[in-house]
Amino acid sequence: PYTTLFRSTNIQKAYQIALGRNPTDSETAISLAFIQQHQASYQAEKKQDATLLALTDFTHALLSTNEFIYPN
Protein backbone atom coordinates (compact mmCIF):
# COMPACT_ATOMS: atom_id res chain seq x y z
CA PRO A 1 0.00 0.00 0.00
CA TYR A 2 0.89 3.64 -0.42
CA THR A 3 2.17 4.42 3.07
CA THR A 4 2.98 7.73 4.75
CA LEU A 5 6.70 6.87 4.56
CA PHE A 6 6.41 6.28 0.81
CA ARG A 7 4.50 9.57 0.41
CA SER A 8 7.15 11.40 2.44
CA THR A 9 9.87 9.97 0.22
CA ASN A 10 8.00 11.12 -2.90
CA ILE A 11 7.52 14.58 -1.41
CA GLN A 12 11.22 14.82 -0.61
CA LYS A 13 12.17 13.75 -4.14
CA ALA A 14 9.72 16.21 -5.70
CA TYR A 15 11.15 19.08 -3.66
CA GLN A 16 14.70 18.09 -4.58
CA ILE A 17 13.86 17.94 -8.29
CA ALA A 18 11.71 21.08 -8.45
CA LEU A 19 13.36 23.33 -5.88
CA GLY A 20 16.79 21.83 -5.34
CA ARG A 21 16.28 21.34 -1.62
CA ASN A 22 14.54 19.13 0.93
CA PRO A 23 11.18 20.21 2.30
CA THR A 24 10.95 21.48 5.86
CA ASP A 25 9.04 19.40 8.39
CA SER A 26 6.15 21.83 8.04
CA GLU A 27 6.17 21.60 4.25
CA THR A 28 6.21 17.81 4.46
CA ALA A 29 3.22 17.79 6.81
CA ILE A 30 1.28 20.22 4.62
CA SER A 31 2.15 18.22 1.51
CA LEU A 32 1.07 14.95 3.13
CA ALA A 33 -2.26 16.48 4.13
CA PHE A 34 -2.72 17.89 0.62
CA ILE A 35 -2.08 14.53 -1.03
CA GLN A 36 -4.28 12.63 1.43
CA GLN A 37 -7.14 15.10 1.00
CA HIS A 38 -6.98 14.97 -2.77
CA GLN A 39 -6.68 11.19 -2.79
CA ALA A 40 -9.75 10.87 -0.55
CA SER A 41 -11.67 13.25 -2.79
CA TYR A 42 -10.82 11.25 -5.91
CA GLN A 43 -11.70 8.00 -4.14
CA ALA A 44 -15.07 9.45 -3.11
CA GLU A 45 -15.68 10.30 -6.77
CA LYS A 46 -14.82 6.66 -7.63
CA LYS A 47 -11.97 7.79 -9.89
CA GLN A 48 -9.41 5.22 -10.93
CA ASP A 49 -5.81 5.95 -10.00
CA ALA A 50 -6.77 8.27 -7.12
CA THR A 51 -3.21 8.17 -5.78
CA LEU A 52 -1.69 9.11 -9.12
CA LEU A 53 -4.19 11.94 -9.55
CA ALA A 54 -3.42 13.26 -6.05
CA LEU A 55 0.32 13.15 -6.71
CA THR A 56 -0.22 14.94 -10.01
CA ASP A 57 -2.16 17.69 -8.20
CA PHE A 58 0.68 17.99 -5.68
CA THR A 59 3.26 18.24 -8.44
CA HIS A 60 1.25 20.95 -10.19
CA ALA A 61 0.97 22.89 -6.92
CA LEU A 62 4.71 22.59 -6.29
CA LEU A 63 5.49 23.82 -9.80
CA SER A 64 3.19 26.79 -9.23
CA THR A 65 5.09 28.08 -6.20
CA ASN A 66 6.92 31.40 -6.35
CA GLU A 67 10.08 29.55 -5.35
CA PHE A 68 9.91 27.48 -8.54
CA ILE A 69 8.77 30.26 -10.86
CA TYR A 70 11.20 32.91 -9.56
CA PRO A 71 14.40 31.09 -8.55
CA ASN A 72 17.07 33.13 -6.81
Side-chain angles (χ1 to χ4, degrees):
Y2 192 62
T3 64
T4 300
L5 177 61
F6 187 67
R7 283 187 189 111
S8 296
T9 300
N10 282 337
I11 290 166
Q12 184 176 18
K13 286 180 183 179
Y15 265 80
Q16 288 171 345
I17 291 167
L19 305 178
R21 65 174 181 83
N22 288 328
T24 64
D25 290 343
S26 175
E27 289 168 332
T28 299
I30 291 167
S31 298
L32 282 169
F34 178 95
I35 293 167
Q36 290 168 343
Q37 181 182 20
H38 282 243
Q39 185 178 17
S41 176
Y42 286 126
Q43 287 171 338
E45 295 174 8
K46 307 284 190 225
K47 298 230 178 179
Q48 290 185 354
D49 299 323
T51 300
L52 179 60
L53 291 169
L55 288 171
T56 301
D57 290 346
F58 166 69
T59 303
H60 289 162
L62 188 60
L63 296 177
S64 296
T65 62
N66 282 339
E67 188 175 351
F68 179 79
I69 295 171
Y70 305 106
N72 291 333

